[in-house]
Amino acid sequence: MTVVDASAVLALIFEEPGSAMVLAQCRGALFSAVNLDEILHKVARHGLDPAAVEEQLTKLQIIVVPFDAGQARVSAALHPRVHGTDTSFADRACLSLALATGGAVLTADTKWRTLGLDLDIRLIR
């Protein structure tokens, strides 16, 4: 099981370094609805059509997972551990999904390796 972070999906969308690694692992990967909001907002700011981007994610078979009460509890429990590290709510949503599912996390966010979480964090670059 793989959980993809918004940074990994954005690297794929904008064809940045690491995008090939994301493409190779995205089929069946989980993606938090919170992170979907994040990328739809960012692609719109770059002049891309958010609906077209979401359609691409569907074609790539990335599974958008609703942010539910269980994930909210895990995310809230992470807050004290990541306080002062510039870890956003969207970051915690991704991390909480990985913790809840036991999946590896695919990200471009190098600081996640320094958080001391019991997760398999795979950097795309």
Side-chain angles (χ1 to χ4, degrees):
M1 178 74 53
T2 301
V3 175
V4 290
D5 176 41
S7 64
V9 172
L10 288 167
L12 181 62
I13 292 167
F14 294 120
E15 299 177 351
E16 296 172 353
S19 62
M21 181 179 182
V22 179
L23 183 59
Q25 296 187 44
C26 66
R27 175 180 275 167
L30 303 181
F31 189 59
S32 173
V34 173
N35 296 125
L36 178 62
D37 167 83
E38 182 180 12
I39 67 151
L40 294 179
H41 166 75
K42 287 182 179 179
V43 298
R45 282 192 344 216
H46 282 87
L48 298 177
D49 177 13
V53 168
E54 191 169 3
E55 184 178 327
Q56 267 313 108
L57 296 180
T58 300
K59 287 179 182 177
L60 292 170
Q61 299 179 8
I62 294 174
I63 302 164
V64 177
V65 178
F67 188 77
D68 62 16
Q71 286 179 51
R73 288 182 201 98
V74 174
S75 177
L78 284 173
H79 197 273
R81 294 193 67 188
V82 301
H83 183 71
T85 64
D86 194 32
T87 302
S88 69
F89 168 63
D91 292 342
R92 287 186 291 113
C94 179
L95 293 166
S96 69
L97 180 58
L99 287 165
T101 62
V105 181
L106 198 58
T107 186
D109 200 336
T110 58
K111 76 174 177 235
W112 288 12
R113 285 214 170 147
T114 67
L115 298 176
L117 301 174
D118 188 23
L119 284 173
D120 180 5
I121 296 173
R122 300 178 186 173
L123 299 176
I124 65 167
R125 51 181 171 240

